[in-house]
Amino acid sequence: MISALSASLIDGLMIGLVYGIAAMGLTLIWGVMRVINLAHGAIIALGMFGIYLLFTNLGLNPYLGLLVVAVAGLLGGMLLYQLTIRRVINAPYLSTLLATFAINMIIIGLGTAAFSTSPRNVDFTLGSTNLGEITILNTRLVAALAALGITIGLYLFLFRTRPGKYVRAVANNRTAAELMGIPSSRILALSFGIGVMLAAVAGALIATFFPFTILSGDPYQLKSFVIGVLGGLGNPLGALVGGLILGVLEGIVPNFMPNTWVPVLEFMLFVLILLVRPSGLFGAKR
Amino acid sequence: MSTTSDVLGRLHARPAAARWRNPGLWLGMLALLLVGLWPVVSGQAATREVIFTMLLAIALASSLNILMGYTGYVSFGHVVFFGLGGYVSMFLLSLGQPLWVAVPAGGVASGVLAFLLGKAILRLRGTYFALATIGINEAMRTFINNFGPFGGSTGISLNFSVYGNYGGAANALWLAYYAVLALALLAILVSYIVKTSKFGLGLMAIREDEDAAEVMGVFTPNAKTWAYVISAIIPGMVGALFFFKNGNIEPADAFRLQFSIETLVMIMLGGQGTVLGPILGALGYQQLRSFLLTNAFFKDYQLVIAGVLLLLIVLFIPAGAVGWLRKRFPRLRNVLP
Amino acid sequence: MEPLLRIDNVGRRFGGLQALSGVTFEVFEGEILGLIGPNGAGKTTLFNVIDSVYEPNEGQVTFRGQPTKGKKPYHLARMGLARTHQIVRPLSELTVRDNVIVGACFGRENRSLGDAGEIADEVLHFVGLSERADQLAGSLNVAQKKRLEMARALAARPLLLLLDEVLAGLNPSEIVAMVETVRNIRAQGVTIIMIEHVMHAIMNLSDRIVVLEYGQVIATGTPQEIIANQRVIEAYLGDPKLAEQLMEAA
């Protein structure tokens, strides 16, 4: 029992880190421009297909493919911002929700036409590591380490580089940032690009160990909402912790009840936190 | 000076009778009634199916508009009321209760859920409210997926003999059709009554500036809760009829988030906060959808085209068709409710 | 005589900032009370405490003999409190007339829609917005929006009216008209508290004046007493423009 528990705990922690990356993308975009990106799940799915196509069709190593997906996500996100989000960023929130949802429809529609909805998987393995009685799949271990690395990278970017400081300034107060000469439109595009990149990378990492379809992004988008709210929307580090909490929950709960109850708990937690502490577990009290 | 204001006063006074003389309302309802009776005259089941879907959309969009268009609270997960109403009534039907009990029970269940949730989640504003409604829909869907009495993930299927009580399956389908036509008309009427009532004015004050409305004496928590309840009841009954006609209900069909958002799109398309907007939006959206679905070339790209269209509306005519007309021709404000 | 409004030792903090402390004064039926003080003295915060937008951290407010603690702004509106906002808050997508109808419908008299329409026309005439009745409120200019705020508050037929800088941003002739309007309102028996920076106007209108500085009452008295008060002059010396106005008023 103990070893089963600790195995599921470790598994949950590793997957939770990847969830955290996905949620970080969502929460970063919210923090900087108050936009909930309803195309988040579709972008996660694109990340999955990106790594799949690079690996299956071009034979590219999945971790090299990850880099390609990241760059494509960053550039694609910035382009998407310039084409659409920019026009609704000052509009009522309904417009931004519907605009991003429309993008979601377009991506899913094109994706379904191109790939159908049949499941795929990246046929790739790194073997496993034994820790006493516990067996860890190496793909998950690498994904977790990559997620940690990306988080550290994001923090170094936000706190140590000039564009990163600009991103934080714009998140804090766009008008004031503009007055200080920060090119806010370019920074907004960059932030959206990074958010999209994180979603795509998370999707790509997930694809290295779970099968998926073009519709698979949806549950991860919902998980990102839950995690984002747990950690406080707009707080990237909170998202990582929220991801760990969710991962552990998903790892541990099935030991005690059928795992179909896990999402029920997740969504109830989500609504509860929105009601009691909308600023998240670590945010300031209202 | 005082004489002009007297004249103005008389012109503007809204005696109760004038409220019932709005041409836009009656012409709209008459047109809908004619459309609704078309399949009855022609007797074609295929036409009936198309129009059934439109009526369903009109009833849902008009109901949601009371919360979204009048009150300014965007419920992304409104399909939860459609699904819950469907489930409650299917459960009762499967226990042998008659349709006339099951359908109102579906409406009541949805209304009660809205009432219980209302005070809590309507404290949240803007995006947070929208997210909470998504969360509630997902919590409900995943919960019912595990809920034994409602059949868990396989849901509830009606025994074919149930239709025997309504003169056989063919008749039962017509019955459901008439009932949805009645509900669509009712939804429009309710929408108009709310819009032209003191209650509705309070809702619109909340939409424009909730804090100012509170200071002016609008009992905002109660008003919002009742708007939520009203906007939930008809969807509950419509859900009941939809799944009765369908013969079975499953969590994935009953609580499809996509469906919720399509309803929002219809309202946006026609113009939120107007009585006619949701009707036009629902008709337009369904028309387009059925065109795309039946066209060999567009069939695969149905979702893409709908997405592009939505994006264009949001980016370029966010007030919707009726809103655009009203803005363009202010005189129409008095005619187009 | 029982005061219409009693403010008893009221304090309010925002985080580390003490916006109000130990504020005490009374307002009697039928009077116009001027509330003045340098920017950031806590005047608008005090209005927000009076109409329960904020709860006080200390002390209590009593309106018509009832403590306002636990009451929401809408409860107070029904009891006969109405206000205007310093930064106007029109219900932009509703017509001017509907804005005023909201005031009449949900104010003290809780009128039906039909009655409220009549009151609205009357009040719009009173504030001179009759011609704009069918325009959307968002399309008015600032001076008109201020009148709209006033009309909305009046349509509620309040017992106590809080006016937050209704003269700010108006040109001299508009100020004269607005001062006249305020006088007329008082003549109808409405008690008024007004925040104002236009010194000569407030000195003319007010029966009594309360001066706030750093969230505390530093003086209370008739306009003559206030103008002569050394403490008040010192407080205003920090703001040369106001000091000059104060001197001019004297």
Side-chain angles (χ1 to χ4, degrees):
Chain A
M1 181 69 192
I2 297 296
S3 75
L5 262 186
S6 42
S8 48
L9 182 69
I10 290 175
D11 226 25
L13 283 171
M14 292 189 302
I15 291 173
L17 282 169
V18 180
Y19 289 170
I21 295 294
M24 227 178 263
L26 186 85
T27 211
L28 180 78
I29 291 174
W30 168 262
V32 177
M33 59 195 90
R34 302 279 130 175
V35 168
I36 289 290
N37 180 14
L38 291 181
H40 190 68
I43 291 162
I44 292 175
L46 281 185
M48 293 169 166
F49 272 88
I51 205 167
Y52 167 80
L53 293 174
L54 289 169
F55 174 73
T56 315
N57 295 359
L58 303 179
L60 197 62
N61 178 297
Y63 298 105
L64 282 176
L66 194 67
L67 281 179
V68 178
V69 167
V71 173
L74 181 65
L75 296 178
M78 289 170 74
L79 186 68
L80 200 57
Y81 176 85
Q82 292 296 354
L83 289 178
T84 57
I85 310 299
R86 184 170 61 85
R87 296 174 199 275
V88 286
I89 193 159
N90 294 317
Y93 67 96
L94 177 61
S95 300
T96 59
L97 288 173
L98 289 180
T100 55
F101 184 73
I103 295 166
N104 176 70
M105 287 166 81
I106 296 169
I107 296 176
I108 296 292
L110 289 174
T112 310
F115 308 119
S116 81
T117 52
S118 53
R120 316 283 171 119
N121 72 309
V122 177
D123 194 10
F124 171 79
T125 175
L126 290 175
S128 54
T129 307
N130 288 318
L131 288 176
E133 291 172 45
I134 302 164
T135 308
I136 297 173
L137 283 176
N138 285 344
T139 44
R140 298 193 185 184
L141 189 63
V142 174
L145 291 175
L148 266 182
I150 290 166
T151 310
I152 293 168
L154 181 68
Y155 263 78
L156 289 178
F157 168 75
L158 286 176
F159 287 87
R160 289 288 147 81
T161 69
R162 185 175 289 268
K165 285 176 185 167
Y166 285 174
V167 169
R168 286 189 298 131
V170 172
N172 207 344
N173 186 337
R174 200 192 316 160
T175 322
E178 277 167 15
L179 286 176
M180 289 164 67
I182 293 175
S184 79
S185 63
R186 253 182 288 164
I187 292 300
L188 290 170
L190 178 66
S191 312
F192 198 83
I194 295 173
V196 166
M197 177 185 84
L198 290 169
V201 166
L205 288 174
I206 291 168
T208 60
F209 49 80
F210 285 148
F212 54 89
T213 74
I214 188 70
L215 303 176
S216 292
D218 239 25
Y220 295 105
Q221 171 171 322
L222 290 169
K223 281 185 212 300
S224 296
F225 286 169
V226 179
I227 293 167
V229 166
L230 269 173
L233 279 173
N235 175 357
L237 194 60
L240 195 71
V241 182
L244 288 173
I245 294 175
L246 205 72
V248 168
L249 203 70
E250 289 189 359
I252 299 285
V253 168
N255 290 302
F256 302 97
M257 54 174 89
N259 69 5
T260 48
W261 280 98
V262 173
V264 185
L265 293 180
E266 285 175 2
F267 291 119
M268 284 167 79
L269 192 66
F270 173 67
V271 175
L272 203 69
I273 291 190
L274 270 177
L275 291 178
V276 196
R277 287 190 80 113
S279 53
L281 290 177
F282 323 104
K285 243 188 175 164
R286 271 214 299 193
Chain B
M1 190 68 201
S2 77
T3 50
T4 32
S5 101
D6 284 348
V7 172
L8 278 177
R10 243 175 285 130
L11 263 178
H12 291 305
R14 267 189 279 199
R19 186 176 167 196
W20 297 115
R21 276 192 239 118
N22 187 303
L25 172 71
W26 294 115
L27 287 176
M29 287 185 62
L30 188 69
L32 189 63
L33 189 65
L34 290 177
V35 171
L37 291 177
W38 172 244
V40 182
V41 179
S42 74
Q44 283 175 318
T47 330
R48 183 196 62 204
E49 290 310 294
V50 173
I51 297 183
F52 180 84
T53 316
M54 288 183 176
L55 295 173
L56 189 97
I58 289 172
L60 294 177
S62 290
S63 301
L64 177 55
N65 186 43
I66 291 173
L67 185 69
M68 167 173 153
Y70 299 168
T71 320
Y73 276 73
V74 182
S75 172
F76 260 71
H78 220 59
V79 70
V80 73
F81 300 116
F82 177 84
L84 181 71
Y87 258 104
V88 167
S89 85
M90 289 293 270
F91 180 66
L92 291 174
L93 285 167
S94 71
L95 293 181
Q97 292 293 326
L99 192 63
W100 61 268
V101 170
V103 172
V108 169
S110 294
V112 169
L113 178 68
F115 183 79
L116 295 178
L117 290 174
K119 281 265 158 68
I121 67 166
L122 287 160
R123 283 187 295 129
L124 300 170
R125 292 192 186 176
T127 311
Y128 284 90
F129 175 77
L131 286 180
T133 61
I134 293 178
I136 283 163
N137 185 57
E138 294 305 305
M140 185 66 94
R141 179 175 61 80
T142 50
F143 172 75
I144 287 186
N145 211 18
N146 287 288
F147 187 57
F150 282 0
S153 60
T154 50
I156 303 173
S157 287
L158 285 186
N159 193 317
F160 209 68
S161 67
V162 168
Y163 296 119
N165 304 330
Y166 309 99
N171 265 331
L173 295 186
W174 279 106
L175 183 64
Y177 177 80
Y178 289 132
V180 166
L181 173 60
L183 283 179
L185 291 170
L186 180 67
I188 296 168
L189 202 60
V190 168
S191 170
Y192 181 74
I193 291 174
V194 169
K195 170 127 192 183
T196 52
S197 68
K198 177 172 166 177
F199 168 64
L201 186 64
L203 297 183
M204 290 184 273
I206 291 173
R207 176 189 71 200
E208 294 300 315
D209 186 337
E210 186 162 349
D211 296 322
E214 212 166 71
V215 167
M216 281 190 276
V218 180
F219 280 53
T220 50
N222 294 351
K224 288 188 292 183
T225 303
W226 287 117
Y228 197 40
V229 170
I230 293 173
S231 76
I233 292 174
I234 288 180
M237 293 200 279
V238 169
L241 288 163
F242 178 83
F243 290 105
F244 165 73
K245 187 166 166 290
N246 212 25
N248 79 307
I249 185 168
E250 291 169 26
D253 290 338
F255 304 103
R256 208 156 48 87
L257 205 55
Q258 173 95 23
F259 188 45
S260 236
I261 299 179
E262 280 177 336
T263 314
L264 287 177
V265 173
M266 294 173 203
I267 298 177
M268 286 289 285
L269 189 65
Q272 47 175 327
T274 63
V275 178
L276 295 180
I279 308 173
L280 291 179
L283 290 175
Y285 186 86
Q286 292 297 358
Q287 196 74 49
L288 177 81
R289 206 179 119 91
S290 62
F291 168 72
L292 294 177
L293 278 176
T294 50
N295 183 299
F297 178 71
F298 290 127
K299 193 163 50 79
D300 290 340
Y301 294 94
Q302 186 252 120
L303 201 59
V304 182
I305 293 169
V308 170
L309 192 77
L310 172 59
L311 196 57
L312 292 177
I313 296 172
V314 172
L315 296 184
F316 300 108
I317 40 163
V322 173
W324 181 80
L325 281 174
R326 284 169 60 118
K327 195 157 271 174
R328 203 60 213 285
F329 308 103
R331 276 169 198 288
L332 284 178
R333 212 177 286 281
N334 298 322
V335 192
L336 296 182
Chain C
M1 193 170 91
E2 176 74 15
L4 184 63
L5 180 79
R6 170 181 290 145
I7 296 175
D8 196 7
N9 204 22
V10 160
R12 169 75 206 195
R13 282 184 306 275
F14 295 101
L17 178 78
Q18 187 79 34
L20 293 172
S21 63
V23 174
T24 299
F25 62 87
E26 292 171 339
V27 184
F28 293 93
E29 230 174 279
E31 74 173 332
I32 295 182
L33 183 97
L35 190 58
I36 65 171
N39 284 325
K43 303 182 295 290
T44 297
T45 304
L46 183 58
F47 270 16
N48 283 332
V49 168
I50 293 175
D51 76 356
S52 268
V53 170
Y54 301 147
E55 242 180 67
N57 299 110
E58 298 110 31
Q60 72 167 4
V61 176
T62 314
F63 179 53
R64 296 179 69 190
Q66 296 182 38
T68 63
K69 192 174 164 57
K71 290 196 164 58
K72 292 286 179 188
Y74 41 83
H75 294 126
L76 292 167
R78 289 290 156 89
M79 285 171 66
L81 186 66
R83 77 176 284 185
T84 69
H85 294 92
Q86 180 185 5
I87 298 157
V88 289
R89 305 183 82 151
L91 309 174
S92 306
E93 293 287 315
L94 298 185
T95 62
V96 167
R97 188 164 182 274
D98 279 346
N99 265 264
V100 183
I101 291 179
V102 172
C105 269
F106 299 96
R108 181 171 67 90
E109 294 183 337
N110 197 13
R111 293 300 190 113
S112 73
L113 211 51
D115 291 355
E118 282 170 30
I119 295 174
D121 292 329
E122 200 181 297
V123 172
L124 282 173
H125 182 223
F126 179 76
V127 301
L129 280 178
S130 290
E131 287 84 58
R132 312 248 165 225
D134 288 332
Q135 241 172 279
L136 289 187
S139 69
L140 297 179
N141 67 31
V142 175
Q144 289 163 343
K145 281 178 180 161
K146 295 221 159 192
R147 293 194 162 269
L148 177 60
E149 284 265 331
M150 185 91 115
R152 247 169 25 182
L154 286 177
R157 300 268 154 89
L159 300 175
L160 176 61
L161 178 59
L162 310 179
L163 298 178
D164 198 344
E165 294 202 30
V166 286
L167 303 180
L170 302 189
N171 66 37
S173 68
E174 287 168 340
I175 288 182
V176 172
M178 194 61 122
V179 165
E180 204 42 45
T181 308
V182 174
R183 277 223 176 82
N184 289 335
I185 295 168
R186 196 256 289 271
Q188 294 176 358
V190 181
T191 309
I192 296 170
I193 307 180
M194 60 189 302
I195 295 175
E196 208 45 74
H197 281 306
V198 182
M199 280 304 152
H200 66 88
I202 197 149
M203 291 295 165
N204 265 321
L205 275 168
S206 307
D207 300 306
R208 284 189 310 134
I209 285 179
V210 169
V211 188
L212 281 181
E213 190 197 14
Y214 297 121
Q216 292 180 319
V217 175
I218 56 167
T220 310
T222 63
Q224 289 71 32
E225 287 165 353
I226 295 301
I227 288 166
N229 186 310
Q230 202 54 40
R231 186 81 200 278
V232 176
I233 294 167
E234 278 167 22
Y236 270 67
L237 282 180
D239 188 336
K241 208 174 121 221
L242 286 178
E244 192 183 314
Q245 277 199 28
L246 191 66
M247 292 309 158
E248 275 173 16

